[in-house]
Amino acid sequence: MLHKALEAKVNDPNNPLLGYWHAVDWVKQHHGQTIHYQTMRAYLIRHFKTKKKHPRKSHYKKGEQGSSSLKKNSLMS
């Protein structure tokens, strides 16, 4: 039963899980079960192929002017 609920929650585009801690809290609130973070993380990765999302790194010298000029140039081509 918990597996089906997690599957639905992971694949729900309107109200997705926001991370592994959110999954732990969601299971505790909706199903009354306490699951450790590492256990939840391993389970979601193993069964649903989830992974943490990280933004790409940006150069520390990059400024707003540099990125806006790149956008303007790419629109002209």
Side-chain angles (χ1 to χ4, degrees):
M1 181 169 128
L2 184 57
H3 178 82
K4 296 271 186 196
L6 280 170
E7 182 178 19
K9 188 69 173 168
V10 166
N11 295 322
D12 182 11
N14 297 325
N15 192 13
L17 292 171
L18 302 176
Y20 298 120
W21 281 112
H22 185 228
V24 169
D25 292 338
W26 183 81
V27 168
K28 188 171 186 174
Q29 288 176 356
H30 290 87
H31 296 280
Q33 296 179 1
T34 302
I35 299 176
H36 294 285
Y37 173 85
Q38 291 297 333
T39 306
M40 178 64 72
R41 181 180 169 276
Y43 186 83
L44 291 174
I45 290 171
R46 186 180 325 116
H47 293 284
F48 306 115
K49 309 292 187 230
T50 61
K51 58 185 175 179
K52 292 175 88 172
K53 306 290 187 213
H54 294 283
R56 290 186 179 195
K57 292 183 180 179
S58 179
H59 196 273
Y60 71 96
K61 290 184 178 178
K62 179 181 172 185
E64 287 298 317
Q65 292 176 346
S67 63
S68 65
S69 67
L70 286 175
K71 290 178 188 174
K72 288 178 188 175
N73 289 338
S74 65
L75 292 176
M76 290 182 182
S77 333

